[in-house]
Amino acid sequence: QVQLQESGPRLVKPSQTLSLTCTVSGGSITTDYYYWNWIRQPPGKGLEWMGAIPYIGSTNYSPSLKIRTCISKDTSKNQFTLQMSSVTPEDKAVYYCASVASLISGAITYRYLELWGQGTLVTVSS
């Protein structure tokens, strides 16, 4: 059974870099047609997709966060990582990692959110 688990500091100071790691167990981040995502939810607000690193190819980012965000992966550890620089209190949120799987039917590819981590609340405060 595949599971995702976020880890990292729960408290970050303003202007510093937030760094979270998602460890994937029971499956491989190199599995074909999988995309590994970071999603966040600020208190009282909706979900915000931050970006995704694919099984192969380039990472995609939300345009609004791209300048501050970097997603990378370590295949030897079966982990992928989120780094967000210059954080402010507005970056306080529950951060989730999630997998997106692909279903290919002929010429059509369907992608769907498959699994989520439990989420981790990160607070930005001095």
Side-chain angles (χ1 to χ4, degrees):
Q1 182 179 2
V2 181
Q3 293 183 323
L4 284 69
Q5 178 67 57
E6 304 89 351
S7 61
R10 304 288 184 92
L11 179 63
V12 183
K13 294 182 179 180
S15 80
Q16 293 191 342
T17 297
L18 178 158
S19 184
L20 294 173
T21 296
C22 184
T23 300
V24 180
S25 59
S28 172
I29 64 170
T30 61
T31 301
D32 287 351
Y33 309 116
Y34 269 74
Y35 298 78
W36 305 95
N37 297 255
W38 286 100
I39 298 166
R40 70 178 181 176
Q41 185 170 29
K45 296 185 179 180
L47 294 168
E48 179 181 22
W49 177 78
M50 303 179 69
I53 187 165
Y55 64 105
I56 190 171
S58 302
T59 303
N60 291 312
Y61 298 98
S62 165
S64 64
L65 299 173
K66 182 177 183 178
I67 195 171
R68 299 195 290 134
T69 305
C70 180
I71 298 174
S72 60
K73 62 184 177 182
D74 186 335
T75 56
S76 67
K77 296 180 179 179
N78 218 34
Q79 296 174 334
F80 61 106
T81 300
L82 169 71
Q83 291 186 308
M84 174 176 279
S85 62
S86 305
V87 297
T88 71
E90 286 67 42
D91 292 312
K92 175 182 179 179
V94 178
Y95 287 78
Y96 299 93
C97 58
S99 63
V100 167
S102 302
L103 176 62
I104 300 171
S105 178
I108 301 174
T109 299
Y110 302 90
R111 296 198 178 101
Y112 57 95
L113 277 168
E114 185 181 59
L115 292 170
W116 295 70
Q118 65 182 23
T120 185
L121 176 63
V122 178
T123 300
V124 179
S125 175
S126 55

